[in-house]
Amino acid sequence: MEEYIQFVKDQINFVPDFAIVIGSGLSTMLDKVKVIKRIPYREIPGYPVSTVKGHKGELIFGILSGKNVLIFNGRVHFYEGYTMRQVTAGVRLAAGLGTKNIVITNAAGAVNKALKAGDIMLIEDHINFIFADNPLRGEKGTERFVDMINAYDRDFLKKAVEVASRKGIDIRKGIYCAVAGPNYETMAEMRFMNRIGIDAVGMSTVPEVIAARFLKMRVLGISCITDSIFNEGDISHTKVLNIANQCGKTIAELIESFLREV
Ligand code: HPA
């Protein structure tokens, strides 16, 4: 067992019903959580610490909508120089604590021209364009050949759509593509992604989903669309964070209602 799992187990006796990974600028969603315990990542031996603005680094154990939740307030990315094993440490920790379900959020750029900044997109499926490494590289046995059909749980998706429509939250559904980053896309790359049917692009989530499926967790993926090159023409990290801050509140509302009903 990874040392960080044992360390956290020694700190708190808590089996999360859901893990929630909070993406860039999305920590406003924490307002609704009844916090039981916080552990800064830097205090956890062997656990990777985020170097990105907009990413705090702490585990939050708490209650949301009557469910035990483990929230990852901040994640690490492949572009920070971490290995894929480190990038998926949170998912491995959640599974190690006995968590069976995970909600993964992110900030993403629009590839589909119909999407605009501020939109919320439920991830139906993904395309992995991070070719350099894979979180399961080096795993042993037949378990590593993970089935990725319906990686994004169909029942979770259905429930999230239902909840959103009842609450009057406007949502889209689409295909998320992960790139290694940290540079944003060229116009040619964007056109290519658009032509092959990608709806949104970002630099996270897919490795976590692969690890989560390997560890037999059910996944709900939610993107906050922070920018659209086709509609706005330029992009910056500051712009991404500003929009994500606004999105965070709505995504929090969605997750809160989802957890209550699931
Ligand atoms: N590309 C990649 N990652 C992103 C983008 C984008 O356009 N926007 C927010 N994260």
Side-chain angles (χ1 to χ4, degrees):
M1 190 194 294
E2 255 91 3
E3 64 173 339
Y4 54 77
I5 299 177
Q6 193 56 53
F7 176 86
V8 172
K9 275 188 167 171
D10 291 342
Q11 299 277 313
I12 185 168
N13 184 11
F14 185 94
V15 179
D17 300 308
F18 271 83
I20 304 173
V21 181
I22 294 191
S24 294
L26 291 167
S27 45
T28 45
M29 75 168 73
L30 285 171
D31 298 351
K32 316 216 170 203
V33 180
K34 188 167 152 256
V35 176
I36 294 171
K37 188 178 175 69
R38 295 171 187 264
I39 308 178
Y41 295 161
R42 70 185 134 72
E43 290 179 10
I44 307 172
Y47 199 84
V49 178
S50 176
T51 62
V52 190
K53 193 167 173 227
H55 278 266
K56 300 230 170 54
E58 57 180 358
L59 299 181
I60 297 172
F61 295 87
I63 310 281
L64 181 60
S65 301
K67 299 275 196 309
N68 282 356
V69 291
L70 165 56
I71 298 178
F72 295 92
N73 191 17
R75 60 150 65 85
V76 298
H77 307 77
F78 187 58
Y79 64 73
E80 293 176 72
Y82 289 112
T83 63
M84 280 297 191
R85 206 169 176 90
Q86 288 173 306
V87 167
T88 53
V91 178
R92 292 170 200 272
L93 170 61
L97 299 178
T99 320
K100 301 268 192 298
N101 309 291
I102 187 162
V103 179
I104 305 182
T105 68
N106 61 49
V111 178
N112 182 332
K113 294 178 184 175
L115 290 173
K116 55 183 189 323
D119 281 350
I120 291 168
M121 185 188 91
L122 296 176
I123 304 175
E124 277 187 304
D125 208 343
H126 76 221
I127 290 180
N128 186 5
F129 272 179
I130 310 178
F131 302 115
D133 197 3
N134 183 290
L136 306 185
R137 197 169 69 84
E139 292 289 351
K140 305 285 186 288
T142 54
E143 299 273 292
R144 67 186 143 183
F145 302 112
V146 177
D147 182 0
M148 292 298 288
I149 305 298
N150 293 336
Y152 299 83
D153 192 273
R154 296 290 118 180
D155 293 332
F156 279 2
L157 266 170
K158 214 168 126 200
K159 180 56 79 184
V161 169
E162 223 178 274
V163 160
S165 104
R166 210 172 326 120
K167 293 225 110 197
I169 299 172
D170 204 15
I171 46 163
R172 325 266 141 198
K173 284 193 279 184
I175 295 171
Y176 174 90
C177 173
V179 292
N183 60 287
Y184 291 120
E185 290 64 43
T186 63
M187 208 58 193
E189 286 166 340
M190 272 295 188
R191 275 195 228 106
F192 167 68
M193 288 184 187
N194 180 274
R195 286 178 76 154
I196 63 171
I198 288 162
D199 295 295
V201 57
M203 302 171 196
S204 67
T205 302
V206 164
E208 292 155 358
V209 173
I210 293 170
R213 292 309 295 150
F214 174 66
L215 297 164
K216 311 216 176 329
M217 296 167 94
R218 297 171 72 189
V219 178
L220 176 70
I222 309 174
S223 291
C224 161
I225 305 299
T226 51
D227 52 275
S228 167
I229 277 194
F230 294 121
N231 293 326
E232 299 156 29
D234 72 334
I235 176 174
S236 74
H237 190 55
T238 312
K239 202 157 154 184
V240 166
L241 290 185
N242 283 341
I243 298 283
N245 267 319
Q246 299 163 33
C247 259
K249 291 200 184 71
T250 317
I251 291 181
E253 214 184 309
L254 180 62
I255 293 177
E256 188 192 20
S257 309
F258 172 80
L259 288 186
R260 186 168 302 118
E261 297 191 22
V262 79

